[in-house]
């Protein structure tokens, strides 16, 4: 059932976010698919190696520069792709954006991020 899969993806997203809070760059890499694309404001990071290297500065220092949490998770009927979206917070807890991550069920049975993009907070009604 997609509800059970969505719960698993939500758990994975929370674990992914926890790597930032824990300052655990090596654990972060385990959540990223080999062929991941992370779209940033200035550039696109292609592949796990580029993503983990590009995100390495975010793991420096004792305090995380931002945090995030899944707010909505949906899984395709095939049970192989999912979207997770939610708020991004600065260190003081102010919402500064929204993340959108596409997760794919990999051959080893684990969900990993294959596409990721963030954006400023929506000011929609």
């Amino acid at each position: 059932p997609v509800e059970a899969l969505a719960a698993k993806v939500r758990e994975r997203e929370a674990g992914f976010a926890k790597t930032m809070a824990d300052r655990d760059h090596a654990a972060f890499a385990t959540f990223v698919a080999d062929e991941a694309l992370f779209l940033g404001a200035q550039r696109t990071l292609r592949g796990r190696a580029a993503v983990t290297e590009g995100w390495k500065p975010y793991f420096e220092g004792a305090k995380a520069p931002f945090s995030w949490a899944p707010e909505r998770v949906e899984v395709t009927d095939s049970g192989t792709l999912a979207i997770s979206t939610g708020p991004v917070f600065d260190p003081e807890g102010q919402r500064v954006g929204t993340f959108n991550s596409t997760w794919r069920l990999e051959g080893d049975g684990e969900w990993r991020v294959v596409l990721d993009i963030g954006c400023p907070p929506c000011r929609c009604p």
Side-chain angles (χ1 to χ4, degrees):
V2 292
E3 294 81 15
L5 293 173
K8 176 64 177 171
V9 173
R10 181 179 297 278
E11 178 183 305
R12 286 287 288 170
E13 184 71 67
F16 191 39
K18 189 174 183 311
T19 68
M20 178 67 72
D22 291 347
R23 321 304 292 130
D24 191 344
H25 185 252
F28 170 85
T30 68
F31 287 84
V32 179
D34 285 337
E35 61 179 346
L37 293 175
F38 276 49
L39 285 70
Q42 304 299 320
R43 63 186 171 142
T44 298
L45 301 172
R46 294 181 166 274
R48 179 185 291 145
V51 170
T52 56
E53 185 62 29
W55 275 59
K56 197 172 191 176
Y58 298 133
F59 287 85
E60 295 170 357
K63 189 173 182 181
F66 57 89
S67 63
W68 69 95
E71 192 171 68
R72 185 171 180 190
V73 175
E74 297 289 340
V75 178
T76 61
D77 288 342
S78 69
T80 58
L81 291 172
I83 181 104
S84 177
T85 186
V88 177
F89 302 101
D90 69 14
E92 287 73 45
Q94 283 292 113
R95 186 173 186 162
V96 294
T98 300
F99 76 88
N100 299 285
S101 298
T102 301
W103 293 78
R104 179 175 64 196
L105 186 60
E106 301 277 283
D108 64 358
E110 198 60 79
W111 288 92
R112 290 194 180 79
V113 178
V114 68
L115 301 168
D116 184 83
I117 188 168
C119 57
C122 179
R123 302 195 193 287
C124 302

